[in-house]
Amino acid sequence: MARSTLDAIYYGAIEAFSEKGYNDTSMDYVAEKAGVAKGTLYYNFKGKDELFLYVMKRGAHSLTDVITNVFDQPADPVTKWRNYISTQLAFFEQNRSFFRLIMQNMWGPNLLESVTLHELFHDYFVRMDQELQKAQELGLLSESMDISTLSASIFGMLTIPAIRSIVHDLPIDEEKRVNSITHTVLQSFKGGETI
Amino acid sequence: MARSTLDAIYYGAIEAFSEKGYNDTSMDYVAEKAGVAKGTLYYNFKGKDELFLYVMKRGAHSLTDVITNVFDQPADPVTKWRNYISTQLAFFEQNRSFFRLIMQNMWGPNLLESVTLHELFHDYFVRMDQELQKAQELGLLSESMDISTLSASIFGMLTIPAIRSIVHDLPIDEEKRVNSITHTVLQSFKGGETI
Amino acid sequence: MARSTLDAIYYGAIEAFSEKGYNDTSMDYVAEKAGVAKGTLYYNFKGKDELFLYVMKRGAHSLTDVITNVFDQPADPVTKWRNYISTQLAFFEQNRSFFRLIMQNMWGPNLLESVTLHELFHDYFVRMDQELQKAQELGLLSESMDISTLSASIFGMLTIPAIRSIVHDLPIDEEKRVNSITHTVLQSFKGGETI
Amino acid sequence: MARSTLDAIYYGAIEAFSEKGYNDTSMDYVAEKAGVAKGTLYYNFKGKDELFLYVMKRGAHSLTDVITNVFDQPADPVTKWRNYISTQLAFFEQNRSFFRLIMQNMWGPNLLESVTLHELFHDYFVRMDQELQKAQELGLLSESMDISTLSASIFGMLTIPAIRSIVHDLPIDEEKRVNSITHTVLQSFKGGETI
DNA sequence: TATGAATGAGCTTTCATTCAT
DNA sequence: CATGAATGAAAGCTCATTCAT
């Protein structure tokens, strides 16, 4: 069945790429992890690039779903942001391989000429910008803040501690870490005056 | 002269690696960028790994110098942190290639079995942890904050906007961006109460 | 219908093979040109070799028909040879793809162990040898001429200018070219005395 | 030494390509025949195409030398043409592998976009055209003959019997064959009147 | 009869590394 | 100290062939 072959490749590829990184993952290894023949990879994808891009796109979509689902809920802003943080961190914990994969490749050189990897996360940042815009309109955020810079900063507040946890082989969602991250992110909204 | 050959290799290697990434940079290309013969690279280094490690170590040292110099100055905490942010961002701006190189490789799989790349930045985080410790002792920071998590978050607040600027080919130190980052980092110190 | 599938394969294969050569023509490409699925090729033929051989045999037969039809007509020798030349050249012009295919593969290494490609044209040369034999008996041709060498030479006089025309994308049957070839071939019969 | 490595590759490649044809000759096989490592082929040539082109160019040059040397000698036209035929046939006999290689590839699809193989033999045909021009001016050749067609025909008179000899594993220069070819070629000059 | 997803052997090519100079 | 010609292991990719439908 077309779907199950593609699924096998998807999950095998995530495992393979996150373990060894893009370059050190051979197509043979992906095929082995996916339980298909190497030729099957090339029957379904033009090449290694396209396979990797497929994995990243499918993953980026699921990541964007997280933020969309949270912010689409009716709730007061602070609750929304709390939910965002905990949901996002839980997603990272539950998809450690894929999250590591993203962090390894997000800022690298373009894989394909036409598609820079971080463009895949464009929607993610757009959604966050929308929420920050609202917060600014509600007076929760100083007018002087540059929103696209802030969304990047918030992304950093979450992801850098998370990736460090993974590198040190610790759970992301230890209580003290989640609390600290939550506190840090929410602080960035308090008041507008620079100290 | 030994030194100038090594320097030529150092700067050529940074340029080469940051442009193409570790794996897609051939020793031929490093040699070309450095203006030396390929054999010279192997005369000075055991192999590609060791060359790369040299570049990262030398760079990590200069990065750690930034934080050390700032925090060793006698000044009040807030001023120190302000200085840290602006100095660090200026360093990223002045060493865009090297900074990109770090961000691309910091969280990847180990290059050498014995040396994880992020270990190179161990001293950097130790120094930041020391300063956060002090801040906590001075009551600038809630007792409940997990310091190693916070130092990672602060690093994220700075670096993610910075790397996004580079990816989008914008200057890191546009006023609005630097102001926003400064504001965001300093906010994480204000008060201890979670919203 | 069996016949139309086979015909579709035949004409698609000629087009494909003459365009790209035997090796660079994939079964996928033949299938595409023929408008059938790849599996259909394997349903009708054992493999690529057998398919190619079928094309060449069917083509060789049609080529041999040309020479047979001409020389079976009752006419004086000179008229026969005139007819042969013009008919043969016209056939090449009307079957440019197939003719190119022959010229590309006639002298190559064996495709199958048991069948050398030029053996397919055995009958063609046999028929020409018969006519040269007759010419020799009629005194039109010196006794000292080696007939199998001459038949090859005559084939060369026709085909090399023809294939050059195709390579240069010119019509084979431009008047001056056909006249020159006709003249050259007929000259080889004139007199027996070596200059 | 650069020269001897290149020579080893040249002769190994001719042997390999003429035995198996371009496509069925692997770079491994060329390396084996040449007595060098496969990497050495790629150190000296960009790829298989370029290596093949080098072989053909070097060979085409030596072939053109044959015709040039003969026609540059001071002699009467008939002697020149006699010499051309015997010298050319002797060259084919002494370079059977290379000659077969030419005949297999001369009329095929382009190897490289920019260079059609038969263009390599441009000079060869130019030189022959010059001599035919002279013959025409001397009245040895009818004014109505198309020279570029005739040169192709003459090339065919020589090469088709020669390649057939090779395919049938016979010597090219058996007396009866050489005599027949000589006779046939010289006939094409006699008189101008079409029979 | 006809199909096309799946296969894997075998190819071209890259490139870190060595070593004679 | 420095060089660059030579190497060969390992990678990405192609495509003739098979077979369940």
Side-chain angles (χ1 to χ4, degrees), chain A residues 89-155:
Chain A
L89 290 173
F91 178 85
F92 293 157
E93 178 64 42
Q94 282 149 33
N95 301 276
R96 289 172 77 97
S97 291
F98 176 67
F99 174 55
R100 186 167 198 177
L101 194 54
I102 290 173
M103 293 305 284
Q104 283 169 24
N105 291 286
M106 203 165 208
W107 317 111
N110 297 354
L111 271 187
L112 305 178
E113 281 174 43
S114 52
V115 185
T116 313
L117 205 47
H118 65 268
E119 287 175 13
L120 296 179
F121 300 95
H122 179 256
D123 290 347
Y124 183 93
F125 286 106
V126 165
R127 195 65 179 83
M128 207 190 304
D129 286 357
Q130 287 174 356
E131 290 303 314
L132 292 173
Q133 193 74 42
K134 287 187 201 165
Q136 213 168 37
E137 285 157 8
L138 291 171
L140 285 167
L141 202 55
S142 159
E143 287 296 326
S144 66
M145 288 295 283
D146 182 56
I147 283 182
S148 71
T149 299
L150 180 56
S151 59
S153 283
I154 291 174
F155 191 73

